[in-house]
Amino acid sequence: MRKEEQAEQARRIALIREVLTEKQFRRLWMYCVDGKTEQEIAEMEAVGQRRISTSIQAALEKIKKIFPDG
């Protein structure tokens, strides 16, 4: 990856981090980057899978608002 691409990626991650709650960012990161399932995340956090699913979906909706073109 070129330096320009890395800088743009870092900028986007920082922007996403600003709009999401800490929990949303952590859960989305584990789901998208670490490849964990919703159930695995739920077990790690000792909550129900539905709570993780709702949190991830809310995070994705927030991201769509700041990056409407994808």
Side-chain angles (χ1 to χ4, degrees):
M1 186 181 298
R2 294 187 337 235
K3 287 188 180 194
E4 297 86 24
E5 291 171 335
Q6 289 176 333
E8 177 62 16
Q9 187 177 38
R11 186 191 70 76
R12 287 176 175 250
I13 291 171
L15 186 56
I16 289 168
R17 192 170 233 152
E18 286 180 24
V19 298
L20 300 183
T21 67
E22 184 179 325
K23 276 185 186 178
Q24 286 175 328
F25 185 83
R26 182 183 66 244
R27 290 169 175 174
L28 186 64
W29 188 272
M30 286 191 284
Y31 184 74
C32 294
V33 178
D34 296 338
K36 303 268 186 228
T37 66
E38 291 178 358
Q39 187 61 44
E40 289 171 327
I41 298 167
E43 289 170 6
M44 290 170 62
E45 297 191 3
V47 297
Q49 175 270 330
R50 182 148 178 111
R51 185 169 292 189
I52 301 301
S53 181
T54 301
S55 179
I56 290 171
Q57 290 306 311
L60 292 172
E61 289 300 318
K62 287 181 180 181
I63 292 170
K64 284 180 188 175
K65 288 180 182 177
I66 60 171
F67 299 113
D69 296 333

PDB file of all heavy atoms in Angstrom, residues 35-66:
ATOM      1  N   GLY A  35     -12.222 -10.650  12.422  1.00  0.00           N
ATOM      2  CA  GLY A  35     -12.976 -11.784  11.887  1.00  0.00           C
ATOM      3  C   GLY A  35     -13.757 -12.573  12.924  1.00  0.00           C
ATOM      4  O   GLY A  35     -14.112 -13.727  12.681  1.00  0.00           O
ATOM      5  N   LYS A  36     -14.056 -11.957  14.051  1.00  0.00           N
ATOM      6  CA  LYS A  36     -14.834 -12.635  15.087  1.00  0.00           C
ATOM      7  C   LYS A  36     -16.306 -12.638  14.682  1.00  0.00           C
ATOM      8  O   LYS A  36     -16.790 -11.711  14.027  1.00  0.00           O
ATOM      9  CB  LYS A  36     -14.705 -11.918  16.434  1.00  0.00           C
ATOM     10  CG  LYS A  36     -13.290 -11.773  16.933  1.00  0.00           C
ATOM     11  CD  LYS A  36     -12.942 -12.924  17.806  1.00  0.00           C
ATOM     12  CE  LYS A  36     -11.576 -12.695  18.434  1.00  0.00           C
ATOM     13  NZ  LYS A  36     -10.728 -13.823  18.332  1.00  0.00           N
ATOM     14  N   THR A  37     -17.029 -13.657  15.106  1.00  0.00           N
ATOM     15  CA  THR A  37     -18.465 -13.691  14.868  1.00  0.00           C
ATOM     16  C   THR A  37     -19.165 -12.883  15.957  1.00  0.00           C
ATOM     17  O   THR A  37     -18.580 -12.599  17.009  1.00  0.00           O
ATOM     18  CB  THR A  37     -19.014 -15.130  14.896  1.00  0.00           C
ATOM     19  OG1 THR A  37     -18.867 -15.655  16.226  1.00  0.00           O
ATOM     20  CG2 THR A  37     -18.300 -16.025  13.894  1.00  0.00           C
ATOM     21  N   GLU A  38     -20.420 -12.543  15.707  1.00  0.00           N
ATOM     22  CA  GLU A  38     -21.194 -11.832  16.726  1.00  0.00           C
ATOM     23  C   GLU A  38     -21.260 -12.653  18.011  1.00  0.00           C
ATOM     24  O   GLU A  38     -21.157 -12.113  19.106  1.00  0.00           O
ATOM     25  CB  GLU A  38     -22.597 -11.533  16.216  1.00  0.00           C
ATOM     26  CG  GLU A  38     -22.615 -10.496  15.110  1.00  0.00           C
ATOM     27  CD  GLU A  38     -24.004 -10.247  14.568  1.00  0.00           C
ATOM     28  OE1 GLU A  38     -24.972 -10.895  15.014  1.00  0.00           O
ATOM     29  OE2 GLU A  38     -24.128  -9.374  13.683  1.00  0.00           O
ATOM     30  N   GLN A  39     -21.427 -13.946  17.865  1.00  0.00           N
ATOM     31  CA  GLN A  39     -21.509 -14.820  19.034  1.00  0.00           C
ATOM     32  C   GLN A  39     -20.200 -14.832  19.816  1.00  0.00           C
ATOM     33  O   GLN A  39     -20.201 -14.794  21.050  1.00  0.00           O
ATOM     34  CB  GLN A  39     -21.895 -16.246  18.628  1.00  0.00           C
ATOM     35  CG  GLN A  39     -22.156 -17.171  19.793  1.00  0.00           C
ATOM     36  CD  GLN A  39     -23.304 -16.697  20.675  1.00  0.00           C
ATOM     37  OE1 GLN A  39     -24.341 -16.286  20.186  1.00  0.00           O
ATOM     38  NE2 GLN A  39     -23.116 -16.739  21.978  1.00  0.00           N
ATOM     39  N   GLU A  40     -19.084 -14.880  19.124  1.00  0.00           N
ATOM     40  CA  GLU A  40     -17.783 -14.856  19.806  1.00  0.00           C
ATOM     41  C   GLU A  40     -17.593 -13.557  20.581  1.00  0.00           C
ATOM     42  O   GLU A  40     -17.119 -13.566  21.724  1.00  0.00           O
ATOM     43  CB  GLU A  40     -16.643 -15.029  18.794  1.00  0.00           C
ATOM     44  CG  GLU A  40     -16.542 -16.424  18.221  1.00  0.00           C
ATOM     45  CD  GLU A  40     -15.552 -16.523  17.073  1.00  0.00           C
ATOM     46  OE1 GLU A  40     -15.383 -15.549  16.299  1.00  0.00           O
ATOM     47  OE2 GLU A  40     -14.927 -17.593  16.946  1.00  0.00           O
ATOM     48  N   ILE A  41     -17.978 -12.445  19.969  1.00  0.00           N
ATOM     49  CA  ILE A  41     -17.857 -11.153  20.641  1.00  0.00           C
ATOM     50  C   ILE A  41     -18.768 -11.111  21.853  1.00  0.00           C
ATOM     51  O   ILE A  41     -18.369 -10.662  22.937  1.00  0.00           O
ATOM     52  CB  ILE A  41     -18.173  -9.995  19.669  1.00  0.00           C
ATOM     53  CG1 ILE A  41     -17.170  -9.990  18.506  1.00  0.00           C
ATOM     54  CG2 ILE A  41     -18.161  -8.655  20.406  1.00  0.00           C
ATOM     55  CD1 ILE A  41     -17.570  -9.108  17.337  1.00  0.00           C
ATOM     56  N   ALA A  42     -19.983 -11.609  21.694  1.00  0.00           N
ATOM     57  CA  ALA A  42     -20.943 -11.638  22.804  1.00  0.00           C
ATOM     58  C   ALA A  42     -20.393 -12.447  23.973  1.00  0.00           C
ATOM     59  O   ALA A  42     -20.504 -12.030  25.134  1.00  0.00           O
ATOM     60  CB  ALA A  42     -22.271 -12.221  22.332  1.00  0.00           C
ATOM     61  N   GLU A  43     -19.791 -13.569  23.691  1.00  0.00           N
ATOM     62  CA  GLU A  43     -19.223 -14.404  24.754  1.00  0.00           C
ATOM     63  C   GLU A  43     -18.058 -13.690  25.430  1.00  0.00           C
ATOM     64  O   GLU A  43     -17.922 -13.748  26.653  1.00  0.00           O
ATOM     65  CB  GLU A  43     -18.783 -15.754  24.188  1.00  0.00           C
ATOM     66  CG  GLU A  43     -19.958 -16.639  23.804  1.00  0.00           C
ATOM     67  CD  GLU A  43     -19.575 -17.875  23.022  1.00  0.00           C
ATOM     68  OE1 GLU A  43     -18.363 -18.148  22.838  1.00  0.00           O
ATOM     69  OE2 GLU A  43     -20.498 -18.584  22.570  1.00  0.00           O
ATOM     70  N   MET A  44     -17.241 -13.002  24.661  1.00  0.00           N
ATOM     71  CA  MET A  44     -16.109 -12.268  25.234  1.00  0.00           C
ATOM     72  C   MET A  44     -16.590 -11.151  26.161  1.00  0.00           C
ATOM     73  O   MET A  44     -15.944 -10.870  27.169  1.00  0.00           O
ATOM     74  CB  MET A  44     -15.250 -11.660  24.120  1.00  0.00           C
ATOM     75  CG  MET A  44     -14.478 -12.670  23.308  1.00  0.00           C
ATOM     76  SD  MET A  44     -13.699 -11.950  21.844  1.00  0.00           S
ATOM     77  CE  MET A  44     -12.605 -10.770  22.571  1.00  0.00           C
ATOM     78  N   GLU A  45     -17.701 -10.523  25.795  1.00  0.00           N
ATOM     79  CA  GLU A  45     -18.205  -9.396  26.565  1.00  0.00           C
ATOM     80  C   GLU A  45     -19.311  -9.783  27.559  1.00  0.00           C
ATOM     81  O   GLU A  45     -19.850  -8.921  28.237  1.00  0.00           O
ATOM     82  CB  GLU A  45     -18.699  -8.304  25.611  1.00  0.00           C
ATOM     83  CG  GLU A  45     -17.581  -7.742  24.763  1.00  0.00           C
ATOM     84  CD  GLU A  45     -17.980  -6.484  24.011  1.00  0.00           C
ATOM     85  OE1 GLU A  45     -19.117  -5.994  24.181  1.00  0.00           O
ATOM     86  OE2 GLU A  45     -17.132  -5.965  23.265  1.00  0.00           O
ATOM     87  N   ALA A  46     -19.638 -11.052  27.589  1.00  0.00           N
ATOM     88  CA  ALA A  46     -20.669 -11.570  28.498  1.00  0.00           C
ATOM     89  C   ALA A  46     -22.010 -10.851  28.316  1.00  0.00           C
ATOM     90  O   ALA A  46     -22.651 -10.435  29.273  1.00  0.00           O
ATOM     91  CB  ALA A  46     -20.196 -11.502  29.946  1.00  0.00           C
ATOM     92  N   VAL A  47     -22.399 -10.709  27.052  1.00  0.00           N
ATOM     93  CA  VAL A  47     -23.704 -10.141  26.719  1.00  0.00           C
ATOM     94  C   VAL A  47     -24.356 -11.031  25.669  1.00  0.00           C
ATOM     95  O   VAL A  47     -23.718 -11.931  25.117  1.00  0.00           O
ATOM     96  CB  VAL A  47     -23.591  -8.686  26.185  1.00  0.00           C
ATOM     97  CG1 VAL A  47     -23.012  -7.758  27.234  1.00  0.00           C
ATOM     98  CG2 VAL A  47     -22.777  -8.623  24.907  1.00  0.00           C
ATOM     99  N   GLY A  48     -25.613 -10.757  25.367  1.00  0.00           N
ATOM    100  CA  GLY A  48     -26.301 -11.520  24.347  1.00  0.00           C
ATOM    101  C   GLY A  48     -25.840 -11.158  22.944  1.00  0.00           C
ATOM    102  O   GLY A  48     -25.426 -10.021  22.683  1.00  0.00           O
ATOM    103  N   GLN A  49     -25.944 -12.115  22.037  1.00  0.00           N
ATOM    104  CA  GLN A  49     -25.529 -11.908  20.643  1.00  0.00           C
ATOM    105  C   GLN A  49     -26.345 -10.799  19.998  1.00  0.00           C
ATOM    106  O   GLN A  49     -25.829 -10.015  19.209  1.00  0.00           O
ATOM    107  CB  GLN A  49     -25.666 -13.220  19.866  1.00  0.00           C
ATOM    108  CG  GLN A  49     -25.373 -13.124  18.383  1.00  0.00           C
ATOM    109  CD  GLN A  49     -26.609 -12.811  17.557  1.00  0.00           C
ATOM    110  OE1 GLN A  49     -27.717 -13.177  17.921  1.00  0.00           O
ATOM    111  NE2 GLN A  49     -26.419 -12.115  16.463  1.00  0.00           N
ATOM    112  N   ARG A  50     -27.608 -10.699  20.347  1.00  0.00           N
ATOM    113  CA  ARG A  50     -28.461  -9.669  19.759  1.00  0.00           C
ATOM    114  C   ARG A  50     -27.947  -8.263  20.087  1.00  0.00           C
ATOM    115  O   ARG A  50     -28.020  -7.355  19.256  1.00  0.00           O
ATOM    116  CB  ARG A  50     -29.894  -9.840  20.239  1.00  0.00           C
ATOM    117  CG  ARG A  50     -30.839  -8.846  19.634  1.00  0.00           C
ATOM    118  CD  ARG A  50     -32.194  -9.467  19.487  1.00  0.00           C
ATOM    119  NE  ARG A  50     -33.133  -8.503  18.948  1.00  0.00           N
ATOM    120  CZ  ARG A  50     -33.646  -8.599  17.746  1.00  0.00           C
ATOM    121  NH1 ARG A  50     -33.311  -9.594  16.966  1.00  0.00           N
ATOM    122  NH2 ARG A  50     -34.513  -7.719  17.329  1.00  0.00           N
ATOM    123  N   ARG A  51     -27.418  -8.082  21.276  1.00  0.00           N
ATOM    124  CA  ARG A  51     -26.865  -6.783  21.663  1.00  0.00           C
ATOM    125  C   ARG A  51     -25.681  -6.418  20.764  1.00  0.00           C
ATOM    126  O   ARG A  51     -25.524  -5.276  20.352  1.00  0.00           O
ATOM    127  CB  ARG A  51     -26.434  -6.806  23.123  1.00  0.00           C
ATOM    128  CG  ARG A  51     -25.970  -5.450  23.609  1.00  0.00           C
ATOM    129  CD  ARG A  51     -25.809  -5.421  25.079  1.00  0.00           C
ATOM    130  NE  ARG A  51     -27.130  -5.547  25.696  1.00  0.00           N
ATOM    131  CZ  ARG A  51     -27.379  -5.394  26.970  1.00  0.00           C
ATOM    132  NH1 ARG A  51     -26.397  -5.113  27.801  1.00  0.00           N
ATOM    133  NH2 ARG A  51     -28.585  -5.523  27.458  1.00  0.00           N
ATOM    134  N   ILE A  52     -24.852  -7.404  20.456  1.00  0.00           N
ATOM    135  CA  ILE A  52     -23.698  -7.180  19.574  1.00  0.00           C
ATOM    136  C   ILE A  52     -24.177  -6.840  18.171  1.00  0.00           C
ATOM    137  O   ILE A  52     -23.695  -5.892  17.546  1.00  0.00           O
ATOM    138  CB  ILE A  52     -22.771  -8.421  19.550  1.00  0.00           C
ATOM    139  CG1 ILE A  52     -22.253  -8.751  20.952  1.00  0.00           C
ATOM    140  CG2 ILE A  52     -21.632  -8.220  18.553  1.00  0.00           C
ATOM    141  CD1 ILE A  52     -21.457  -7.644  21.618  1.00  0.00           C
ATOM    142  N   SER A  53     -25.149  -7.590  17.685  1.00  0.00           N
ATOM    143  CA  SER A  53     -25.686  -7.356  16.355  1.00  0.00           C
ATOM    144  C   SER A  53     -26.268  -5.948  16.238  1.00  0.00           C
ATOM    145  O   SER A  53     -25.992  -5.225  15.266  1.00  0.00           O
ATOM    146  CB  SER A  53     -26.768  -8.392  16.045  1.00  0.00           C
ATOM    147  OG  SER A  53     -27.282  -8.194  14.750  1.00  0.00           O
ATOM    148  N   THR A  54     -27.041  -5.542  17.228  1.00  0.00           N
ATOM    149  CA  THR A  54     -27.639  -4.202  17.233  1.00  0.00           C
ATOM    150  C   THR A  54     -26.559  -3.129  17.256  1.00  0.00           C
ATOM    151  O   THR A  54     -26.653  -2.122  16.544  1.00  0.00           O
ATOM    152  CB  THR A  54     -28.590  -4.056  18.439  1.00  0.00           C
ATOM    153  OG1 THR A  54     -29.603  -5.055  18.349  1.00  0.00           O
ATOM    154  CG2 THR A  54     -29.225  -2.687  18.488  1.00  0.00           C
ATOM    155  N   SER A  55     -25.536  -3.327  18.057  1.00  0.00           N
ATOM    156  CA  SER A  55     -24.436  -2.371  18.170  1.00  0.00           C
ATOM    157  C   SER A  55     -23.687  -2.225  16.843  1.00  0.00           C
ATOM    158  O   SER A  55     -23.400  -1.107  16.396  1.00  0.00           O
ATOM    159  CB  SER A  55     -23.472  -2.829  19.273  1.00  0.00           C
ATOM    160  OG  SER A  55     -22.392  -1.957  19.390  1.00  0.00           O
ATOM    161  N   ILE A  56     -23.402  -3.333  16.202  1.00  0.00           N
ATOM    162  CA  ILE A  56     -22.686  -3.317  14.925  1.00  0.00           C
ATOM    163  C   ILE A  56     -23.539  -2.641  13.850  1.00  0.00           C
ATOM    164  O   ILE A  56     -23.036  -1.825  13.068  1.00  0.00           O
ATOM    165  CB  ILE A  56     -22.254  -4.736  14.515  1.00  0.00           C
ATOM    166  CG1 ILE A  56     -21.138  -5.228  15.449  1.00  0.00           C
ATOM    167  CG2 ILE A  56     -21.812  -4.777  13.053  1.00  0.00           C
ATOM    168  CD1 ILE A  56     -20.777  -6.691  15.268  1.00  0.00           C
ATOM    169  N   GLN A  57     -24.819  -2.966  13.814  1.00  0.00           N
ATOM    170  CA  GLN A  57     -25.702  -2.351  12.812  1.00  0.00           C
ATOM    171  C   GLN A  57     -25.808  -0.839  13.018  1.00  0.00           C
ATOM    172  O   GLN A  57     -25.795  -0.072  12.055  1.00  0.00           O
ATOM    173  CB  GLN A  57     -27.087  -3.004  12.835  1.00  0.00           C
ATOM    174  CG  GLN A  57     -27.096  -4.414  12.303  1.00  0.00           C
ATOM    175  CD  GLN A  57     -26.482  -4.523  10.915  1.00  0.00           C
ATOM    176  OE1 GLN A  57     -26.818  -3.766  10.007  1.00  0.00           O
ATOM    177  NE2 GLN A  57     -25.555  -5.449  10.743  1.00  0.00           N
ATOM    178  N   ALA A  58     -25.900  -0.404  14.268  1.00  0.00           N
ATOM    179  CA  ALA A  58     -25.954   1.034  14.566  1.00  0.00           C
ATOM    180  C   ALA A  58     -24.657   1.712  14.124  1.00  0.00           C
ATOM    181  O   ALA A  58     -24.685   2.823  13.570  1.00  0.00           O
ATOM    182  CB  ALA A  58     -26.201   1.252  16.053  1.00  0.00           C
ATOM    183  N   ALA A  59     -23.536   1.047  14.345  1.00  0.00           N
ATOM    184  CA  ALA A  59     -22.245   1.588  13.925  1.00  0.00           C
ATOM    185  C   ALA A  59     -22.188   1.728  12.409  1.00  0.00           C
ATOM    186  O   ALA A  59     -21.748   2.756  11.885  1.00  0.00           O
ATOM    187  CB  ALA A  59     -21.111   0.687  14.418  1.00  0.00           C
ATOM    188  N   LEU A  60     -22.651   0.730  11.705  1.00  0.00           N
ATOM    189  CA  LEU A  60     -22.641   0.770  10.245  1.00  0.00           C
ATOM    190  C   LEU A  60     -23.537   1.887   9.708  1.00  0.00           C
ATOM    191  O   LEU A  60     -23.189   2.546   8.721  1.00  0.00           O
ATOM    192  CB  LEU A  60     -23.053  -0.583   9.665  1.00  0.00           C
ATOM    193  CG  LEU A  60     -22.047  -1.714   9.894  1.00  0.00           C
ATOM    194  CD1 LEU A  60     -22.641  -3.053   9.459  1.00  0.00           C
ATOM    195  CD2 LEU A  60     -20.743  -1.441   9.168  1.00  0.00           C
ATOM    196  N   GLU A  61     -24.663   2.130  10.358  1.00  0.00           N
ATOM    197  CA  GLU A  61     -25.553   3.214   9.948  1.00  0.00           C
ATOM    198  C   GLU A  61     -24.863   4.573  10.125  1.00  0.00           C
ATOM    199  O   GLU A  61     -24.982   5.448   9.273  1.00  0.00           O
ATOM    200  CB  GLU A  61     -26.868   3.172  10.728  1.00  0.00           C
ATOM    201  CG  GLU A  61     -27.767   2.016  10.335  1.00  0.00           C
ATOM    202  CD  GLU A  61     -28.171   2.042   8.867  1.00  0.00           C
ATOM    203  OE1 GLU A  61     -28.498   3.132   8.342  1.00  0.00           O
ATOM    204  OE2 GLU A  61     -28.142   0.972   8.236  1.00  0.00           O
ATOM    205  N   LYS A  62     -24.157   4.743  11.237  1.00  0.00           N
ATOM    206  CA  LYS A  62     -23.421   5.989  11.464  1.00  0.00           C
ATOM    207  C   LYS A  62     -22.347   6.182  10.395  1.00  0.00           C
ATOM    208  O   LYS A  62     -22.144   7.286   9.894  1.00  0.00           O
ATOM    209  CB  LYS A  62     -22.769   5.990  12.845  1.00  0.00           C
ATOM    210  CG  LYS A  62     -23.731   6.169  13.986  1.00  0.00           C
ATOM    211  CD  LYS A  62     -22.979   6.171  15.308  1.00  0.00           C
ATOM    212  CE  LYS A  62     -23.884   6.343  16.498  1.00  0.00           C
ATOM    213  NZ  LYS A  62     -23.125   6.357  17.775  1.00  0.00           N
ATOM    214  N   ILE A  63     -21.665   5.097  10.055  1.00  0.00           N
ATOM    215  CA  ILE A  63     -20.597   5.170   9.044  1.00  0.00           C
ATOM    216  C   ILE A  63     -21.180   5.527   7.689  1.00  0.00           C
ATOM    217  O   ILE A  63     -20.600   6.322   6.948  1.00  0.00           O
ATOM    218  CB  ILE A  63     -19.804   3.854   9.010  1.00  0.00           C
ATOM    219  CG1 ILE A  63     -19.005   3.687  10.301  1.00  0.00           C
ATOM    220  CG2 ILE A  63     -18.884   3.803   7.792  1.00  0.00           C
ATOM    221  CD1 ILE A  63     -18.387   2.329  10.492  1.00  0.00           C
ATOM    222  N   LYS A  64     -22.348   4.983   7.366  1.00  0.00           N
ATOM    223  CA  LYS A  64     -22.988   5.304   6.081  1.00  0.00           C
ATOM    224  C   LYS A  64     -23.302   6.786   5.984  1.00  0.00           C
ATOM    225  O   LYS A  64     -23.261   7.363   4.899  1.00  0.00           O
ATOM    226  CB  LYS A  64     -24.282   4.494   5.914  1.00  0.00           C
ATOM    227  CG  LYS A  64     -24.046   3.061   5.555  1.00  0.00           C
ATOM    228  CD  LYS A  64     -25.373   2.331   5.405  1.00  0.00           C
ATOM    229  CE  LYS A  64     -25.157   0.848   5.248  1.00  0.00           C
ATOM    230  NZ  LYS A  64     -26.424   0.105   5.225  1.00  0.00           N
ATOM    231  N   LYS A  65     -23.595   7.413   7.101  1.00  0.00           N
ATOM    232  CA  LYS A  65     -23.913   8.848   7.087  1.00  0.00           C
ATOM    233  C   LYS A  65     -22.679   9.702   6.798  1.00  0.00           C
ATOM    234  O   LYS A  65     -22.788  10.745   6.170  1.00  0.00           O
ATOM    235  CB  LYS A  65     -24.542   9.254   8.412  1.00  0.00           C
ATOM    236  CG  LYS A  65     -25.952   8.750   8.581  1.00  0.00           C
ATOM    237  CD  LYS A  65     -26.535   9.174   9.898  1.00  0.00           C
ATOM    238  CE  LYS A  65     -27.936   8.604  10.058  1.00  0.00           C
ATOM    239  NZ  LYS A  65     -28.517   8.933  11.357  1.00  0.00           N
ATOM    240  N   ILE A  66     -21.506   9.257   7.266  1.00  0.00           N
ATOM    241  CA  ILE A  66     -20.307  10.065   7.018  1.00  0.00           C
ATOM    242  C   ILE A  66     -19.622   9.710   5.697  1.00  0.00           C
ATOM    243  O   ILE A  66     -18.851  10.505   5.176  1.00  0.00           O
ATOM    244  CB  ILE A  66     -19.305  10.012   8.191  1.00  0.00           C
ATOM    245  CG1 ILE A  66     -18.832   8.596   8.466  1.00  0.00           C
ATOM    246  CG2 ILE A  66     -19.886  10.630   9.429  1.00  0.00           C
ATOM    247  CD1 ILE A  66     -17.686   8.511   9.465  1.00  0.00           C
TER     248      ILE A  66
END
